[in-house]
Amino acid sequence: MTDAPRDGRNRGDRVYAPDFLTELFRNPLDPGYADAAARRREDPQSGSAWRRWPARSVTLVVVLVLGFLFAVAYRQTMEDEPGRSQVRSGLVEQIKQRESETDRLSERADQLRAEVARQRAAALGSSEAARLRTLEAGTGLGRVRGDGVVVRLADAPKDEDAVTRADVGPSQVLYSDLQGVANDLWAAGAEAIAVNGQRLTAMSTIRQAGQAILVDYRPVTGPYEVSAIGPEEMRDRYDRSRSALTMRKVAEETGLSFGIREAEDLTLPAAPDPRLRYAEPSVSPSPSPPGADRSVSPGPSRSGTSPSPSGGG
């Protein structure tokens, strides 16, 4: 027989101390936060109204400032637009005037050149005039006519990116392409060559300025046609040239247009008259010093100065 507990409780009535983790999961919220949440449930407008008002005020001020800035920028842009449009239209008008003036002067130059040719042929004999025409045809200063070859090059069609709308299209015809075609046509036996009607001479240049290709400082646009007059075997020789093989490969890979065809009765215009240049002495001859013996000169000299090394006197 056992004795009863001294505190008067039964053996089955046990008291456990609160466990920390159990209490934490049972009441995860701090009592202070719990009281605040209870107060907000009782009066929802008491604690949030004064917090929402400054946020709304700041948002409203920012929206007003941005709207004001956009309005000022739009007004400034609209005020500057008439000036820009006027300047642009003025430049376009000047370009058109210069182009029309250039065309008029070119026509006048052709008329004067033809008149000079007629006067010269009348002054010279038949044999001398024929010899002069042959020399002009060979140098590019005279119009020529005959059978030959036409090489045509054109840019590939543009292809825009579906997202950026940027031009990701294939290659374009470069000035070096025209240079290679012209050089290989000369090597194939061409007697006269013109690029889009611009006759090539020994002083001609084919270069690029920005996006434009210049032939003798005159712009040419695509499609580009290089016309050449020469012997019958010129076509076959050019087909085996380096530029023909290169351009065919580029056309297959990029879509650039390249073709060669034979042409009968081609007429190539004359090139503009070149600007004549004369040799001048690099250093002016200096007079002989006083007392120098002038008798050593092999011939008579009126000025007493030695002849220029370049032949000028």
Side-chain angles (χ1 to χ4, degrees), residues 145-309:
R145 183 177 179 181
D147 299 338
V149 172
V150 177
V151 180
R152 187 179 185 276
L153 301 92
D155 298 339
K158 294 183 178 180
D159 186 12
E160 294 184 351
D161 187 81
V163 178
T164 62
R165 295 297 180 184
D167 185 11
V168 296
S171 68
Q172 298 177 343
V173 177
L174 305 177
Y175 76 98
S176 57
D177 300 333
L178 298 180
Q179 287 180 350
V181 171
N183 291 333
D184 286 340
L185 284 174
W186 288 123
E191 300 173 0
I193 299 178
V195 180
N196 282 21
Q198 298 292 332
R199 183 75 174 275
L200 299 184
T201 65
M203 304 295 292
S204 297
T205 58
I206 301 176
R207 62 184 61 184
Q208 188 165 358
Q211 298 295 327
I213 297 179
L214 306 180
V215 177
D216 284 341
Y217 303 100
R218 294 185 178 182
V220 293
T221 58
Y224 307 94
E225 289 190 352
V226 184
S227 305
I229 295 178
E232 296 180 357
E233 60 272 12
M234 181 177 59
R235 165 69 184 273
D236 297 333
R237 292 176 182 175
Y238 178 73
D239 278 337
R240 299 187 298 268
S241 65
R242 181 177 180 180
S243 66
L245 298 176
T246 302
M247 294 308 299
R248 286 194 182 95
K249 183 177 180 181
V250 172
E252 293 176 358
E253 294 178 352
T254 65
L256 183 144
S257 177
F258 175 75
I260 307 172
R261 63 179 177 87
E262 295 182 354
E264 297 180 356
D265 199 16
L266 283 175
T267 300
L268 303 185
D273 293 334
R275 180 181 179 183
L276 300 180
R277 298 171 181 170
Y278 300 92
E280 296 180 359
S282 59
V283 180
S284 300
S286 58
S288 301
D293 188 5
R294 300 182 182 179
S295 62
V296 297
S297 176
S301 176
R302 293 177 294 176
S303 62
T305 60
S306 59
S308 169

